[in-house]
Amino acid sequence: MSIYTKTGDKGDTSLANMERVSKSSLRLEAYGTADELNAFVGALRALNVPTVDSRLLWIQHKLFNVGAALSLASGMWIEADDVAQIEHWIDEMQNKLPSQRCFILPAGNQQVALAHICRTTTRRLERDIVRLQATESVLQDTQAEAELLRFVNRLSDYFFVLSRYLAFLNHIPDTPWEK
């Protein structure tokens, strides 16, 4: 089977539900960002972070669910339990960290920097979904749509705390922002 179909040569593509859309569509932009974030999470996993690798793998599977939901515009791909799981992990890491007293710069080693890249890419995914919401329903089910957005919002918090946690584990102090 060939990887190329030539069906997108004129700037459009098919969603998973077989609807043809422009490659510039907001829906395609959103699930493209989910895919990009998944690749960054994979890059973070490649840096061998055994303390959180199983969590990052779980997140990769959930990001595929986010992409599927966006591509199909339907289904309950992310649930309240997924949001609760992310919140649990955030609380668990936060409890081990010194309190944050200032804004911090995204700095440290490769693991910390890549966690920050995951955070900022997650924020872009959230903006993409909100931009899509302003023009059409993201998902047919409004509850599923709400859970999807809650998950993505919480995931950016997770990556922020993860960046601080990885710095902490590697004895790297926060780099405070100085105006």
Side-chain angles (χ1 to χ4, degrees), residues 100-107 173-179:
Q100 182 183 345
R101 301 188 187 285
C102 60
F103 288 108
I104 62 170
L105 298 178
D174 289 337
T175 304
W177 169 56
E178 298 171 8
K179 57 180 185 169

Side-chain angles (χ1 to χ4, degrees), residues 7 13 25 27 49 72 107 114 135 141 143 179:
T7 59
T13 191
S25 82
R27 183 171 298 280
V49 191
L72 289 167
L114 201 45
T135 63
D141 180 319
Q143 180 60 35
K179 57 180 185 169

